[in-house]
Structures are given as C-alpha cells and as structure tokens.
C-alpha cells in the first residue's frame, strides 16, 4: 500500500490532465503503465514520471491497445 501511495504521489490523473489528456480509458491505461514502472523501481522521482508520461502521450499510447 505504501508503494502504491508513493506512485500516486509522484504522478496522478490530475497531472496527466494538465498534460492534455482527457479523462477516460487512455488516461487510466497510461497512468497504470507509469505506476507499474514506479513500483518496479524503473522510475525514482516525479521528473522521471512526468517525462515518461510525455513520451507515452507523444507516442499515442495506448491507442493500439484500445482497438
């Protein structure tokens, strides 16, 4: 629980909305991907989390998973 709380502290849905995403499945999938990487230890701080979010948004993640 503490790890998931930390993941939410680094980045949450509000942050992704500020980056231009609308609420919905895409935002949720992208947030889950970022949180998974935080929990795996691949992301250590907010800057890395936001940078990954921007990269995933630019790559149109996860539009290929929604089809």
């Amino acid at each position: 629980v503490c790890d998931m709380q930390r993941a939410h502290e680094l980045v949450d849905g509000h942050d992704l909305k500020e980056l231009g995403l609308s609420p919905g499945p895409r935002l949720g999938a992208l947030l889950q991907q970022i949180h998974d990487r935080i929990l795996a230890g691949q992301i250590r701080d907010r800057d890395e989390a936001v940078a990954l979010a921007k990269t995933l948004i630019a790559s149109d993640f996860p539009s290929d998973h929604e089809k």
Side-chain angles (χ1 to χ4, degrees):
V1 174
C2 290
D3 290 337
M4 184 53 80
Q5 181 177 351
R6 168 119 172 94
H8 284 281
E9 288 172 358
L10 292 181
V11 68
D12 63 18
H14 296 288
D15 298 311
L16 299 183
K17 287 191 283 185
E18 287 179 9
L19 294 175
L21 287 180
S22 298
R26 182 171 183 240
L27 185 147
L30 196 143
L31 189 59
Q32 184 64 51
Q33 175 79 341
I34 295 168
H35 285 170
D36 287 347
R37 292 187 188 189
I38 292 169
L39 295 173
Q42 298 170 349
I43 295 174
R44 295 175 300 275
D45 59 36
R46 179 174 170 76
D47 290 340
E48 290 179 1
V50 171
L52 175 60
K54 289 178 180 178
T55 298
L56 292 174
I57 291 167
S59 72
D60 205 25
F61 177 91
S63 60
D64 58 338
H65 301 328
E66 294 177 343
K67 294 178 183 174

